[in-house]
Amino acid sequence: MDNAIAHTATPIAAAPSNASLSTLTAMPAKAKLMLGVGIAALAAVVVALALWGQKGDYKVLYANLSEKDGGAIIAQLSQMNIPYRHADGGNAILVPSSQVHDARLKLASAGLPKGSIVGFELMDNARFGQTQFQERLTFQRGLEGELTRSIGALGSVQAARVHLALPNQNGFFREQQKPSASVLLTLHPGRTLDRTQIAGIVHLVSSSVPELSPKAVSVLDQTGALLSGASEPITGQGLDAQQLQYVAQVEASYVKRVIEILEPVVGRDNLRATVAADIDFSQTEATSESFKPNQGSEPAAVRSQQVSEAGNAAQATPSGVPGATSNQPPLAATAPLTGASAPLHAAAAGTAGGGSQRRDNVTNYEVDKTVRVTRNATGNVKRLAAAVVVNHRVTTAANGKTTSTPLSNDEVEKLTALVQESIGFSKERGDSVKLINAPFRVEALPKADALPLWQQDWLVDLLRAGATPAALALVALLVVFGLLRPALKATLAAAPARAPAMHVVADESLPLPGPNRAALEAPRNAERLDGARAIAKQNPAVVANIVRTWVKGDAT
């Protein structure tokens, strides 16, 4: 029996290369189809996983692009064979993170993105033979674009448009028209422009256009409100935006003083304060002149003095009885110790005898004059009204129970005095301070419902990142357990049914290779025994079928 088993096992061990081929050919058609489809699907899943693993993260190349620039950039990316995606409704273009900088440099060399706002680069594309009107219009468009870019660089401005009206200057016109400008601003939500920023925009536009007056520049916001030239009152109280801002700053400073002085006493969040300030923005100017009389011990100051003296003495004529006495010459002039000199006597005598003399003396004294010009400062505080509410005193017992007790009148008076001193209370000015003690009503705020785990952002991002590989892995499992495993089961189930026919392959009469068969007989029997034992261990069902056929006597 050992010889028969050995004879049967020898052909099986001798033809292992044809076992897989014979197994595949002996498989049913349905099993072959399932096996082929499963292997193809599994290979597709492996390839998809490899491609997905090689795909990098996409980052923003350009955002907030116009449709024209977006189309030009996409066309250029297609020519450069760079993959791209759209985001934010097509306003942003994404490319792989490893190619962002390379793509930007290449697009910049191609002049992209051009931008919807064009400046003086329009002058670079000047055409030959263009008219003077076209050249002037191109310059105007370039200047408008440059101003738009400059204004759009402000932090509060989201978008801007500038319209320039540049009349044609002609030397034959008697009155030249002046240029004007209009600026339309679109501000970011929740942002505003103060007076200085608006004045800066007006100054920027007026300085960029020759002979453009700042008064000819109009600045509007997206709601159509005129921002420039708003010096007229725009509120019912007669205050403009800058004055209202000043009032708010003054009131906030007084409120801060009150809170800083009371918080250490009553505790934080135990008081509420507000201050209303009446500010006088009127401007007055007074000029006065006062003349001071020259009085007192001080001598009067002489401003000017004028003395004029004139005399006309008549020639003395001889008089009396003709003779030696009347013909005597006049006496010599002498200067007496007292009285007038001799010539004056002569002059007086001459005057008396028919001469004339005049003497004028005019003295002007300085008159005191005081000129006083008084200008009152604007923004003076006319009146202050402060209102303060202080919470009851809250105490916590050892068991955790809280109780509130009102403040005494003495304590309320002390707190009121602190408030008065902190704001500079003036009774003559009409200031008023009101401080009351009342319990604060604390309402429990509803707790914000925590988002469930499946709505957390980190989990959503993780699921989005792992959705593709998880889906591919699921497909691979379905292929393995739905196609490959049934096909293999069908193959293994058909193998034992074909096992009894294997003994017909063995034939002891086949000649052994080699010249000396007797010399190889002993080793050959040992190998047969080892092969039979191995077959019995590996496939006991086949050996049992062979033994069963021998017992029944069907073996040949």
Side-chain angles (χ1 to χ4, degrees):
M1 184 174 66
D2 293 340
N3 294 335
I5 294 175
H7 293 168
T8 307
T10 301
I12 297 176
S17 60
N18 297 328
S20 59
L21 182 60
S22 61
T23 303
L24 291 177
T25 55
M27 290 176 58
K30 183 177 180 181
K32 292 181 181 179
L33 180 61
M34 293 175 62
L35 185 61
V37 173
I39 293 175
L42 192 60
V45 170
V46 172
V47 172
L49 284 174
L51 295 177
W52 184 85
Q54 294 179 357
K55 181 184 65 175
D57 296 334
Y58 277 72
K59 291 187 177 181
V60 177
L61 179 65
Y62 291 110
N64 298 325
L65 292 173
S66 61
E67 295 181 356
K68 184 177 180 181
D69 287 340
I73 290 176
I74 288 176
Q76 191 69 21
L77 291 176
S78 300
Q79 293 180 1
M80 294 187 296
N81 295 327
I82 297 178
Y84 61 88
R85 290 180 181 179
H86 298 285
D88 296 336
N91 293 330
I93 298 178
L94 287 75
V95 297
S97 57
S98 60
Q99 301 181 6
V100 171
H101 302 289
D102 189 16
R104 286 179 179 174
L105 294 176
K106 292 181 179 179
L107 291 174
S109 63
L112 295 175
K114 296 181 179 179
S116 57
I117 302 175
V118 292
F120 282 131
E121 60 268 16
L122 288 174
M123 307 297 294
D124 299 336
N125 301 325
R127 296 175 299 175
F128 179 76
Q130 64 179 359
T131 63
Q132 184 179 3
F133 174 76
Q134 292 177 344
E135 183 179 358
R136 186 165 57 87
L137 185 60
T138 302
F139 173 77
Q140 180 176 345
R141 289 182 56 196
L143 183 57
E144 290 176 351
E146 294 295 335
L147 290 174
T148 300
R149 290 174 178 174
S150 300
I151 296 173
L154 298 178
S156 301
V157 178
Q158 183 178 6
R161 292 195 64 182
V162 179
H163 302 278
L164 298 177
L166 304 179
N168 187 13
Q169 302 295 333
N170 194 333
F172 296 99
F173 293 160
R174 179 175 300 176
E175 295 182 359
Q176 301 289 343
Q177 295 181 354
K178 299 298 182 181
S180 60
S182 300
V183 182
L184 178 62
L185 302 178
T186 301
L187 304 179
H188 287 285
R191 297 187 182 181
T192 58
L193 295 177
D194 56 13
R195 181 67 62 84
T196 57
Q197 291 175 323
I198 297 173
I201 294 175
V202 172
H203 182 73
L204 172 65
V205 177
S206 62
S207 301
S208 302
V209 180
E211 299 183 3
L212 178 59
S213 175
K215 297 181 179 180
V217 179
S218 302
V219 181
L220 292 83
D221 61 2
Q222 66 270 24
T223 62
L226 182 63
L227 302 180
S228 62
S231 58
E232 297 80 7
I234 58 176
T235 62
Q237 298 179 356
L239 302 180
D240 58 11
Q242 187 175 8
Q243 292 173 349
L244 289 175
Q245 184 178 5
Y246 176 75
V247 172
Q249 292 177 355
V250 171
E251 293 176 348
S253 65
Y254 283 117
V255 171
K256 184 178 179 181
R257 293 181 186 178
V258 173
I259 293 177
E260 287 179 352
I261 198 65
L262 293 185
E263 267 192 352
V265 179
V266 300
R268 190 174 183 179
D269 297 333
N270 285 327
L271 78 155
R272 297 292 184 271
T274 180
V275 177
D278 187 4
I279 309 297
D280 184 13
F281 292 99
S282 61
Q283 297 180 357
T284 58
E285 181 177 350
T287 304
S288 62
E289 295 184 3
S290 60
F291 298 90
K292 182 179 180 181
N294 295 315
Q295 298 176 358
S297 60
E298 295 294 333
V302 178
R303 182 174 61 183
S304 63
Q305 186 177 10
Q306 182 179 0
V307 178
S308 60
E309 185 175 346
N312 185 12
Q315 185 67 27
T317 57
S319 61
V321 178
T325 305
S326 59
N327 291 331
Q328 292 295 324
L331 297 176
T334 59
L337 295 175
T338 59
S341 62
L344 292 180
H345 283 286
T351 304
S356 62
Q357 183 180 6
R358 181 180 180 181
R359 185 177 181 179
D360 297 331
N361 188 356
V362 179
T363 303
N364 296 323
Y365 296 94
E366 289 289 350
V367 179
D368 292 339
K369 180 181 179 181
T370 302
V371 179
R372 181 178 293 105
V373 179
T374 304
R375 294 185 179 90
N376 292 335
T378 60
N380 294 327
V381 178
K382 295 173 59 178
R383 183 176 179 273
L384 291 177
V388 182
V389 180
V390 179
N391 190 17
H392 283 181
R393 182 182 293 106
V394 179
T395 57
T396 304
N399 56 0
K401 184 179 180 180
T402 59
T403 57
S404 61
T405 57
L407 301 178
S408 62
N409 294 332
D410 188 16
E411 292 176 336
V412 172
E413 291 179 359
K414 291 181 180 179
L415 295 178
T416 304
L418 288 177
V419 174
Q420 291 178 351
E421 293 297 330
S422 64
I423 66 173
F425 178 82
S426 176
K427 187 176 181 180
E428 292 77 9
R429 195 171 53 188
D431 296 348
S432 63
V433 174
K434 186 64 176 179
L435 188 145
I436 64 173
N437 179 228
F440 285 6
R441 180 178 296 178
V442 180
E443 296 181 358
L445 298 177
K447 296 183 179 180
D449 296 336
L451 293 176
L453 181 62
W454 57 274
Q455 290 184 354
Q456 297 291 337
D457 294 337
W458 64 271
L459 183 59
V460 173
D461 296 338
L462 181 62
L463 292 177
R464 288 178 179 176
T468 301
L472 294 177
L474 181 60
V475 172
L477 292 176
L478 293 176
V479 169
V480 171
F481 291 99
L483 297 177
L484 297 180
R485 186 178 180 183
L488 294 176
K489 283 186 176 181
T491 302
L492 295 176
R498 296 187 297 271
M502 295 174 61
H503 69 280
V504 299
V505 181
D507 189 0
E508 189 178 359
S509 61
L510 293 176
L512 292 174
N516 191 1
R517 180 179 180 182
L520 298 177
E521 188 68 25
R524 182 178 178 185
N525 292 333
E527 292 177 359
R528 288 179 179 178
L529 291 175
D530 294 338
R533 293 190 184 96
I535 292 175
K537 291 180 180 180
Q538 295 177 0
N539 202 343
V542 176
V543 177
N545 291 332
I546 294 174
V547 173
R548 187 180 297 110
T549 55
W550 288 347
V551 172
K552 291 180 179 180
D554 296 337
T556 57

